[in-house]
Amino acid sequence: MAAVLEGLEPEEAAAAAEDTIRRAAEAVDAGPRAPPLLPGHQLNLDLYPRGCHRLLHLCAQQPQQLLQVEFLRLSTHEDPRLLEATLAQVPWSLLHLRSLVLKGGQIRGPLGACLRGTLTTLPTGLSGLAHLAHLDLSFNRLETLPTCIPQLHSLDALLLSHNCLSELPEALGALPALTFLTVTHNCLQRLPTALGTLSTLQRLDLSENLLDTVPPEIGGLSSLCELNLASNRLQSLPASLAGLRSLQLLLLHSNLLTSVPAGLAHLPMLTRLDLRDNQLRDLPPELLDAPFVRLQGNPLGEASADPLSPPDTPEVPEMPRLFLTSDLDSFPVTPHGCSVTLACGVRLQFPAGATTTPVTIHYRLWLPEPGLISLGPHDFLLSGVLELKPHGVAFQQDVSLWLLFVPPRTRRCREVVVRTWSNSIWSDLETHLEEEAPKRLWARCQVPHFSWFLVVLRPVSNACLVPPEGTLLCSSGHPGVKVIFPHGATEEPRHVSMQVVRMPGRELQALLGEPEAAVSPLLCLSQSGPPSFLRPVTVQLPLPPGVTGFSLDRSRLHLLYRAPPEATWDDITAQVALELTHLYARFQVTHFSWYWLWYTTKTCVGGLARKAWERLRLHRVNLIALQRRRDPEQVLLQCLPRNKVDATLRRLLERYRGPEPSDTVEMFEGEKFFAAFECGIDVDADRPDCVDGRICFVFYSHLKNVKEVYVTTALDRETQAVRGQVSFYRGSVPVEVPQEAEAARQRKGADALWMATLPIKLPSNLLSIAGRLGPDWPAVALHLGMPYRELQRIRHEFRDDLDGQIRHMLFSWAERQAGNPGAVGLLVQALEQSDRQDVAEEVHAILELGRHKYQDSIRRTGLAPEDPALPGTSSSQISEPAQA
């Protein structure tokens, strides 16, 4: 099935592209009497190696068949001279071309980012493509707009995203039919005044550029419905924007706006106005109260100047503000200072004088990996890892850093801190929390130099500097926990810190099977300097709940100590003198570690303490594997804490379907695991996180732990579905993943690597027959009874994706036909009435091969249970069509 795949990821297009190339090769090799080159007059060479060579070969060998081509996709990851020579042949060989896609992005970098192609211009001869309506030049290296483009008077959609354009020519106004223009992620500094003459333009996307003004002529875009000017440097807007009477969507977030035209409040069609992250201090009342306006991140209502300052106080120049787009990884900082907002949601503020000379700062957001970050046994990770360079450069004044993080469900006895790599160790910075909106929290800290940074949720930590004279350290979360340092405990001042962790009593009792068992809070003590103190230090712990010093049985009281480096728990009750009061136990130590009081009838408490300590750190999770309803080859894999499963599934099941989540398994924070597709299912593309077809994960309880992959199969799908599975295993990817039979034998073991197996089903390719409809799909849709208004909506929503138009029309119709006994007959009749007898006959032929062979394919296209017009169907063939 050949398809125009504009807007889809390269992995998503792989299967269709390979089939396209196979058909093209067969047509070329068959000679002049071969059947038509491609169904639907489409030629997709963008994912095929040596696509330019292939097209030149077709131009030389099959010029008559190329005259039928209306849709051409070609990768620009080619030699520039070869690409130029190939494009020079296009206007001579493809006279009826309507859609031309010359995109980069099919090749990805080490971190999965799409790389730009080599295209820098277009041959002037392309202006002869009189029928060209769609031109996509995204992900290339264009610095100026090719001169042939303004001469394409039939052009309806022009895509120029992810290039290097600094300006657009005035000649752009000579495109009378243009309805869609996107120039996002470029370097535009100004706009042509002729832009306002594009009276047919409906969607305009200029986000992620360097614009500081918008020409007033933009008010002449009388048909404009959507305007995106987000992430620029706009400080003001022309009043003519209020004349865009058709405007429905206006995105202006992440700019420097201090005001907006009052007339925006009176636009009759406006349903969304996004003004977040600007410098707005005042707005018309109509906009302040409007439900469709988003205003977070603006200093509304704040005074613009200090009314108490003397009149002759010199005005302090405003600090420069920078908003970085996603394709920039560095920015300059001068001695004047600046405020910077990165595309990843990080903010920095460099005060004036922070640097004495200009310096260029580089940043990168890393995925969290256990080898890159440092987490304590009871820490939770709340963010990715931010790297700021140059490392170790000291600033004259502290730089403010804001990191956006996932709000934890509860912070009882815990605190959020920013952790950084400093002086070859990880340390926590003094952190303040700022809430910008519900579920949108910032961790703010001061940094003296740059390194790696991440946000961590840890048990509340209390610290102090112990002088030789001694001191007292108390826990702020558990007042009964104290550490008393006597005079002479240390010769030099040393830093000590304390963390306290509680264990729920019910979990302990269930683990031990003992209703009266109880434990104190778990105490962790750490220090800098020599490992031991010169004099014993007194530690006070509260007795376990329900136990008092006057009624307890001392034979059941155990003091446990976690001994490094083996991390075993030792019973040291007999080695220390326990002093008991009514509520507390006191003992003396000379070096620090973990301490825990247990009250139990068990004798071998050390092993039980290890299990209880692990239980404190374990998360109960479920694994899910869902397939997108309208593209079953796209599989979503996710590891979710048990309490989040229901809410997540309710949100996902509108677009995905699949089996029930796995049984509950237990995982540690930061534990590695991987997903292996089995029984004929394979990963469809190379990925940085894929090792030998296995998708690697690291579990973090407060992060999403979700990945979407495209799968394929080498098995025959022409006549029946492929039933495979995905299994989840603990640890890193081994040299050999256990086969299904071996994994099944290991499932009952306590230390088995296998965690869960979920089914994956790839439907048969019956729908690919309907995919051959090409430009005839509107006629088929009308004969199926679809309203013309809905056709227009589908065309608009998938304006750059013919294949998406066809799929959406078929799925929408099939979903409404579930349970209709005449669905098959309606489909065949519509095909015949649309002069697509070839497809109708093929549907007949497939159905006659037998219900048992094509049952799954028919079910997924929503055909009816018992169709009197076509034999061989039954009620078992009807199911949800959305997975076809």
Side-chain angles (χ1 to χ4, degrees), residues 701-720:
S701 58
H702 288 72
L703 303 185
K704 289 187 176 181
N705 308 300
V706 60
K707 295 186 180 182
E708 289 196 76
V709 299
Y710 289 90
V711 297
T712 185
T713 179
L715 304 179
D716 179 22
R717 291 175 59 195
E718 292 299 323
T719 59
Q720 58 186 353

Side-chain angles (χ1 to χ4, degrees), residues 676-711:
F677 290 93
E678 302 164 343
C679 298
I681 306 293
D682 299 305
V683 180
D684 192 28
D686 292 333
R687 299 165 53 105
D689 58 356
C690 183
V691 179
D692 296 329
R694 318 302 181 187
I695 305 298
C696 305
F697 287 81
V698 182
F699 171 73
Y700 294 106
S701 58
H702 288 72
L703 303 185
K704 289 187 176 181
N705 308 300
V706 60
K707 295 186 180 182
E708 289 196 76
V709 299
Y710 289 90
V711 297

Side-chain angles (χ1 to χ4, degrees), residues 396-468:
Q396 304 301 314
Q397 300 184 47
D398 285 350
V399 175
S400 297
L401 172 65
W402 286 264
L403 292 172
L404 193 64
F405 66 93
V406 180
R409 189 164 56 94
T410 177
R411 296 205 299 268
R412 183 173 179 266
C413 298
R414 291 184 174 272
E415 60 187 353
V416 176
V417 295
V418 175
R419 186 162 294 172
T420 183
W421 179 257
S422 178
N423 297 324
S424 301
I425 60 171
W426 286 97
S427 58
D428 295 341
L429 301 174
E430 182 179 349
T431 306
H432 304 275
L433 301 186
E434 296 180 1
E435 184 173 1
E436 183 176 289
K439 297 185 178 181
R440 187 178 175 90
L441 290 175
W442 296 88
R444 177 175 60 83
C445 60
Q446 305 289 324
V447 297
H449 55 79
F450 280 169
S451 181
W452 286 272
F453 301 91
L454 54 123
V455 184
V456 172
L457 181 68
R458 70 177 188 188
V460 171
S461 178
N462 299 104
C464 71
L465 182 67
V466 179

Side-chain angles (χ1 to χ4, degrees), residues 73 204 300 646 660 814 833:
R73 296 178 64 96
L204 177 59
L300 288 169
D646 291 341
E660 292 293 320
Q833 292 174 343

